[in-house]
Amino acid sequence: MSQVRKFLPENKLAKTITDPNGMLLGHAVKKAAENIEKVRDIHLAALEVKLDELAQVAATAMQSQSASDAANLYRLAREVLGDAGIFGLKHISRAAHSLCELMAAGDRHRHQWAGVAVHVEALAILRREGKNPTGADLDGMLAGLAKISRAPV
Amino acid sequence: MGAALDLSARINLNRTSVLVLDSNPQSLDLLRRVLNGFGVRSVHACQHVRDAERIFYDQTLELIIVDPLFEDDSGFEFIRFARREENSPNRCVGIIAALGHQTLGNVRAARDAGANTVVAKPLSPDVLLQRIHWVARESRPFIVAPNYVGPDRRFKNQGPPLGTNGRRTDDLSFDVPVAAGPDMNQSQIDEMFKPMKVAL
């Protein structure tokens, strides 16, 4: 039988929530949102660069089908998911999430690379549509992407 | 943990020192700005695990936020490292894993590495503050075992694993004693909580 030690450590954050001079949580959230908005343009420009890189890496990975290219594509998909989502680009974030699911499935997904091609095309359409897409049936498209990611494993 | 954030509650993070580890420079910058908005003045933003380890040794921290999904296993390894540094004052600090892709495997890996909680990206300030507030209110015991070091992973007391007697002194036996009398009914229970005049 192995030794297990159990103790109650000091919670160093505990005193932050008992200070009556603290900031209202509502105010803290508002200040944080303002701080994000200040750098929106810079970050959206970086996101554009990242989406270009993702398309290039996807093209390379579809050719090579190597583990390192696949890992690089998975990393970029994760980054796009987070970077787009925090600025409210939810369609791009959802498409990137679907690509993450596909890449995480790896070789277990029988049509992984065909699925990657569809996701890259979809991301290109979503970029053209911008933040408030109206033209196409985007929810239907995103549902289709999710179906591809989940499909034959 | 799922409860909405009470926006009228207060928090003072002015004197809090936070280490943030994320391989994505955009995400790192945004996390720093969000924390500054919460009032945190001391944010140690690290893009590489080796920098985070140096900060962990050199600074006194109150919180660590890490996206453990690095190219290799080093992000999860950093959490394990932090929990196993027996002589560090930062060993038991709250660790929030901010996952870029929250598969069941990633969530389990973060929990089993020793993270207090997991938050899914894309991050939003209210969800992150909710998690920080939750970690600040936490009073979970810390477990040091050969295969795991970190906050107790048993949120619910479901007893020791089946077929074992448990390894902890407070693990209950499966042998349930025979009741000394009949169960109390609801009115008897209510009676116990009813305010009554007493003779002094």
Side-chain angles (χ1 to χ4, degrees), chain B residues 159-182:
Chain B
L162 280 175
T164 73
N165 290 322
R167 294 178 299 170
R168 302 177 187 171
T169 51
D170 54 354
D171 275 334
L172 295 172
S173 160
F174 279 108
D175 300 326
V176 180
V178 178

Side-chain angles (χ1 to χ4, degrees), chain A residues 18-39:
Chain A
T18 53
D19 187 342
N21 298 317
M23 190 190 282
L24 283 169
L25 298 191
H27 184 60
V29 169
K30 190 164 166 261
K31 288 283 285 179
E34 284 169 6
N35 282 359
I36 293 173
E37 272 310 304
K38 283 180 196 162
V39 290

Side-chain angles (χ1 to χ4, degrees), chain A residues 16-17 22-30, chain B residues 1-12 38 125-134 137:
Chain A
T16 66
I17 54 169
M23 190 190 282
L24 283 169
L25 298 191
H27 184 60
V29 169
K30 190 164 166 261
Chain B
M1 197 182 344
L5 193 62
D6 176 8
L7 298 174
S8 62
R10 290 180 182 271
I11 195 161
N12 189 348
F38 294 164
D126 55 334
V127 172
L128 183 61
L129 190 56
Q130 183 195 38
R131 292 296 192 278
I132 293 173
H133 202 255
W134 184 80
R137 283 184 286 124

Side-chain angles (χ1 to χ4, degrees), chain B residues 27-43:
Chain B
S27 178
L28 199 58
D29 179 53
L30 290 168
L31 264 168
R32 188 172 55 78
R33 288 171 190 277
V34 166
L35 290 168
N36 288 155
F38 294 164
V40 182
R41 291 181 189 154
S42 174
V43 180

